[in-house]
Amino acid sequence: ADFAAVLERAPDDHDARFNRALVLLEAGDARGALAELDRVERAGARFTRVYFVRAQARRATGDTAGADADAKRGLELEPTDAISWVARGRARLNRVPPDAPGAHADFEAAVAADPLLVSAWENLAEVRAGYLNRPVEALAALDRVLELAPNATG
């Protein structure tokens, strides 16, 4: 995607700026990603997933304290969209020890917010099977994944 063109036309497009940060981070430009994420936050974007991605970018630049602070802040805030619920659930699973019940609750909230979000169902299946020993419920979530995305490979 040509995020530069989108942002030239709509500089306040939080989604485009956030997605540009994801691409920059994936390409190894953590500092560029941080600049975009800081701008998203300053502009008042309300999706909490910004904190989790910024924690990744900070960690990539060696800023462990900043990464920990962003992750902590993301866990404290209540998500406002389904993808942020998934991001917070993933952050709960990455804790030591993992907070599987909290992650499960977040993935359930993601499904409630957007029943068509495949990643929410995939994460529900993972936490149910891998952390909570609820295989029947995990299979039900995987069935939903296959209904929504028949070609999903996991």
Side-chain angles (χ1 to χ4, degrees), residues 85-87 89-90 93 102-112 120 123-124 127:
W85 281 109
V86 170
R90 293 302 317 166
L93 289 180
H104 186 264
D106 284 349
F107 300 144
E108 287 276 359
V111 164
N123 280 285
L124 264 178
V127 75

Side-chain angles (χ1 to χ4, degrees), residues 7-63:
L7 291 169
E8 187 175 310
R9 287 191 310 272
D12 295 329
D13 185 330
H14 303 315
D15 289 318
R17 194 163 298 285
F18 179 81
N19 288 330
R20 182 166 190 240
L22 289 174
V23 170
L24 289 168
L25 185 58
E26 184 70 26
D29 183 2
R31 292 196 189 287
L34 280 171
E36 293 295 343
L37 294 165
D38 288 345
R39 195 163 169 190
V40 168
E41 183 188 28
R42 280 193 312 273
R46 302 202 17 93
F47 36 85
T48 56
R49 63 187 180 269
V50 168
Y51 294 98
F52 301 115
V53 175
R54 193 165 61 188
Q56 286 179 287
R58 287 187 195 276
R59 204 167 306 289
T61 65
D63 181 4

Side-chain angles (χ1 to χ4, degrees), residues 67-83:
D68 291 346
D70 274 337
K72 182 177 188 268
R73 183 71 177 136
L75 288 166
E76 292 169 348
L77 296 172
E78 182 164 330
T80 57
D81 63 277
I83 296 170

